[in-house]
Amino acid sequence: MEQKKEKSINEYEQARLDKLSKLQELGIDPFGGRYDDVESLAEIKAKHDSEKTNITVKGAGRIKLHRDIGNLIFITLQDRTETLQIGLSKKLLADDWKIARLLDLGDIVGAEGTLGQTKTGEITIWVTKLTLLAKATLPPPSKWHGLKDIEARYRQRYVDLFSNEKVLKTFEERAAIIDTIREYLRGKDFTEVETPMMQPIAGGAAARPFVTHHNTLNMDLYMRIAPELYLKRLLVGGMERVFEINKNFRNEGISTQHNPEFTMCELYQAYADYNIIMDLLEELICILVRQRSGDMKLEFNGQVIDYRRPWARTPYAELFAQYVGCRMDDMTAVRLKARAAEIPEKNMDDTVVINELFEKFVEDSLINPTFVIDYPAELCVLTKRKKDNPQVAERFELFIAQMEIANAYTELNDPKVQEENFRIQLRGQEETMAQMDDDFVTALKYGMPPAGGLGFGIDRLVMLLTNSPSIRDVILFPLMRPTNQPQQNDDDHGDQS
């Protein structure tokens, strides 16, 4: 059965290659060239006026539908804006009729002619000049009904984009979302900056990095897991409001919510704290939602998410007691809950056990936007502690639809405390290649203003705003397992907020 299918595909390809050869024999370049003064198909459609018959237009696009009825061929073109029918008549085309007879689905053509309509009222370009711009030697999938195989869609995104209209719209929407984020932050007087992608120390988060080697300097470098420590250096330097939208890399699991290469927006505001950052993030996301929904509700993965303000701001300890069923300070009960949940708690520190239970029982319960505030201080190496309770850090994480979207702190700016926190963090972290960032501690000694900081995942936010259930749906070229490697269940590791 497989051999027959393969032969059939080869036959289709060969038929197209034969047409390509015929075009070359006619002296026609099957792969075209510069094509000037092209209007979008949407612009051409908008020009149509049933009272006028002499409107000349020039458009281009990919052949989506092809109907050959002898001396007349009707083709539907598609570009990034619209679909539009063109009519090819042997009488009108003269020598270009030879090109028309050698066209296939998926070919890219240019069409000049007069705008009109058919007897059934369909707006049509009656073509007087036809130009072949690219011959497709492979047929589009399933006669243009779109790629259905999810793996094939991600591996062949170039086909996915032109055959699935929703996919193209999703990535146009992603670009618009990022534009709005930039516009909002610039309006708040933030300066966009760029920090190193390759770093001598993997810092700013607890994650396993990708390692590379610089030959000239003969030194290992790490693809960044976070830009945090470099952005804070800029606070020391006097750049009081900075943000960066760029890639992070974490050598961890792949899942519907995790890709090893992902996009983050990270920002820092001098003289602020985590409360100000909460207000800023809530306002920004509500602007994005309002652009897409008048009632501030959006569907995501079968659930309706209500973004109306104000959003819940609930302490970590309160949520833990509510969903785990015991208090955080009752470690006997906490460890009993962990064992019952099959968490290997025996050799874990108390705080780690608490957080494992939180991730297992609390996070999946957070559907509407919820700021989880005031985390256990031991989990927060870079965070200032509450003055009235040093066991609690001024940190929040934003959860929407069971996903962590953002992580933020009132930033620690005491160099002595920061250095000690780094030393504590490094214990038992040999696997992550974590190192002490002495230069960052030195920077703090020069004085970093009190500040609030935030990191949020662009990919996950786009997922929510476009109702895309997998992170691969919003990354143009997600990392894929080699085709010769057996499919496995990927680990759901890593934090990409």
Side-chain angles (χ1 to χ4, degrees):
M1 184 62 123
E2 201 61 47
Q3 288 180 344
K4 183 176 179 182
K5 183 179 178 183
E6 185 176 337
K7 181 181 177 184
S8 176
I9 291 173
N10 287 338
E11 286 174 356
Y12 284 129
E13 185 175 358
Q14 187 58 56
R16 288 168 175 257
L17 291 172
D18 290 343
K19 289 181 180 180
L20 184 144
S21 295
K22 290 177 182 176
L23 287 162
Q24 290 171 325
E25 289 170 7
L26 292 169
I28 295 163
D29 182 355
F31 301 105
R34 176 170 169 171
Y35 195 67
D36 292 334
D37 304 320
V38 180
E39 298 175 278
S40 75
L41 299 184
E43 289 171 329
I44 292 172
K45 239 178 184 178
K47 281 186 171 185
H48 178 256
D49 185 337
S50 59
E51 301 300 317
K52 296 181 181 179
T53 58
N54 59 347
I55 301 172
T56 302
V57 294
K58 184 178 182 181
R62 190 183 293 273
I63 298 177
K64 182 175 181 179
L65 294 172
H66 184 286
R67 290 186 294 129
D68 187 337
I69 51 176
N71 290 333
L72 193 59
I73 298 173
F74 286 106
I75 283 173
T76 300
L77 292 187
Q78 175 178 294
D79 71 0
R80 64 183 178 82
T81 66
E82 185 58 277
T83 59
L84 180 62
Q85 181 170 273
I86 64 173
L88 308 178
S89 163
K90 184 176 182 180
K91 182 179 179 180
L92 287 175
L93 282 177
D95 287 346
D96 288 347
W97 182 249
K98 295 175 182 176
I99 300 175
R101 301 297 299 174
L102 296 170
L103 295 178
D104 288 300
L105 290 177
D107 291 352
I108 300 171
V109 298
E112 288 182 68
T114 303
L115 195 58
Q117 62 186 46
T118 62
K119 292 178 181 178
T120 60
E122 184 163 1
I123 299 172
T124 302
I125 301 174
W126 295 105
V127 180
T128 54
K129 175 62 179 173
L130 180 68
T131 305
L132 180 60
L133 299 172
K135 182 68 182 170
T137 58
L138 284 175
S142 304
K143 295 183 181 178
W144 203 275
H145 295 305
L147 282 170
K148 303 300 182 186
D149 185 306
I150 292 176
E151 282 283 310
R153 286 183 52 221
Y154 298 145
R155 291 186 191 281
Q156 294 183 301
R157 182 69 85 188
Y158 41 89
V159 179
D160 191 28
L161 285 165
F162 75 66
S163 63
N164 292 323
E165 185 179 352
K166 182 180 183 300
V167 174
L168 180 60
K169 296 299 183 187
T170 294
F171 287 103
E172 290 177 338
E173 191 81 346
R174 179 187 172 109
I177 289 165
I178 294 172
D179 282 347
T180 298
I181 293 169
R182 283 196 164 99
E183 181 182 345
Y184 173 83
L185 292 175
R186 287 170 182 156
K188 296 286 186 181
D189 204 26
F190 282 82
T191 300
E192 185 169 11
V193 298
E194 294 176 291
T195 60
M197 293 283 195
M198 294 191 298
Q199 303 178 354
I201 295 173
R208 185 187 296 276
F210 289 96
V211 186
T212 187
H213 187 79
H214 192 289
N215 292 331
T216 301
L217 296 178
N218 191 28
M219 64 183 291
D220 283 343
L221 293 167
Y222 304 93
M223 301 302 293
R224 77 165 180 207
I225 54 178
E228 178 168 351
L229 302 187
Y230 284 90
L231 290 171
K232 288 182 182 177
R233 285 172 168 91
L234 299 181
L235 290 180
V236 174
M239 300 183 74
E240 296 177 350
R241 297 189 181 201
V242 293
F243 78 98
E244 181 172 13
I245 297 175
N246 225 320
K247 297 290 187 182
N248 289 349
F249 306 86
R250 299 185 184 178
N251 196 353
E252 297 174 342
I254 297 174
S255 75
T256 57
Q257 296 181 19
H258 298 95
N259 193 67
E261 174 186 350
F262 60 99
T263 304
M264 287 273 289
C265 177
E266 195 149 321
L267 63 88
Y268 292 86
Q269 179 175 337
Y271 316 119
D273 67 0
Y274 74 147
N275 291 298
I276 288 176
I277 300 301
M278 256 185 280
D279 292 340
L280 181 147
L281 181 60
E282 185 171 334
E283 182 178 58
L284 170 59
I285 294 179
C286 283
I287 287 170
L288 290 164
V289 172
R290 194 175 296 112
Q291 290 172 345
R292 291 153 182 84
S293 170
D295 65 358
M296 295 300 292
K297 296 178 182 179
L298 289 175
E299 184 177 345
F300 175 72
N301 209 14
Q303 299 172 312
V304 176
I305 312 300
D306 187 345
Y307 291 91
R308 289 175 297 177
R309 302 175 77 177
W311 295 355
R313 301 184 180 192
T314 312
Y316 183 104
E318 185 179 315
L319 289 166
F320 186 92
Q322 179 181 349
Y323 290 104
V324 179
C326 65
R327 288 174 30 161
M328 285 167 44
D329 57 3
D330 184 352
M331 283 312 301
T332 300
V334 167
R335 290 191 177 271
L336 282 172
K337 291 282 185 181
R339 285 195 288 274
E342 298 183 347
I343 295 170
E345 47 75 40
K346 189 173 183 181
N347 296 317
M348 289 181 182
D349 291 340
D350 288 352
T351 309
V352 176
V353 178
I354 288 167
N355 203 53
E356 289 281 332
L357 284 167
F358 188 92
E359 290 178 355
K360 187 175 184 67
F361 291 106
V362 180
E363 293 181 4
D364 281 352
S365 304
L366 305 177
I367 308 300
N368 289 328
T370 303
F371 290 110
V372 180
I373 64 173
D374 299 344
Y375 274 65
E378 290 181 24
L379 294 172
C380 311
V381 177
L382 296 157
T383 312
K384 192 169 280 188
R385 299 186 178 197
K386 295 182 81 70
K387 289 183 179 179
D388 59 350
N389 185 359
Q391 301 303 309
V392 174
E394 292 192 352
R395 170 187 178 183
F396 75 76
E397 291 189 359
L398 172 64
F399 287 86
I400 306 175
Q402 305 168 308
M403 288 194 296
E404 181 192 339
I405 302 301
N407 187 20
Y409 317 139
T410 300
E411 301 299 335
L412 178 60
N413 61 344
D414 182 330
K416 184 177 179 181
V417 175
Q418 184 63 81
E419 185 171 11
E420 180 58 27
N421 284 358
F422 277 157
R423 294 192 188 285
I424 293 170
Q425 182 191 39
L426 288 173
R427 294 172 193 163
Q429 294 232 5
E430 294 79 6
E431 280 189 6
T432 67
M433 299 172 235
Q435 303 172 54
M436 170 76 78
D437 193 334
D438 294 312
D439 182 71
F440 177 66
V441 176
T442 299
L444 292 184
K445 289 178 180 179
Y446 282 98
M448 186 184 91
L454 165 69
F456 62 92
I458 296 289
D459 306 311
R460 290 185 184 175
L461 184 57
V462 174
M463 286 170 64
L464 289 169
L465 295 172
T466 62
N467 193 15
S468 301
S470 171
I471 198 168
R472 295 182 184 185
D473 294 328
V474 299
I475 296 175
L476 278 168
F477 299 102
L479 186 66
M480 301 295 293
R481 195 179 292 279
T483 53
N484 60 354
Q485 195 176 109
Q487 189 68 29
Q488 301 171 6
N489 289 325
D490 294 306
D491 295 330
D492 190 2
H493 292 167
D495 174 10
Q496 298 190 3
S497 63

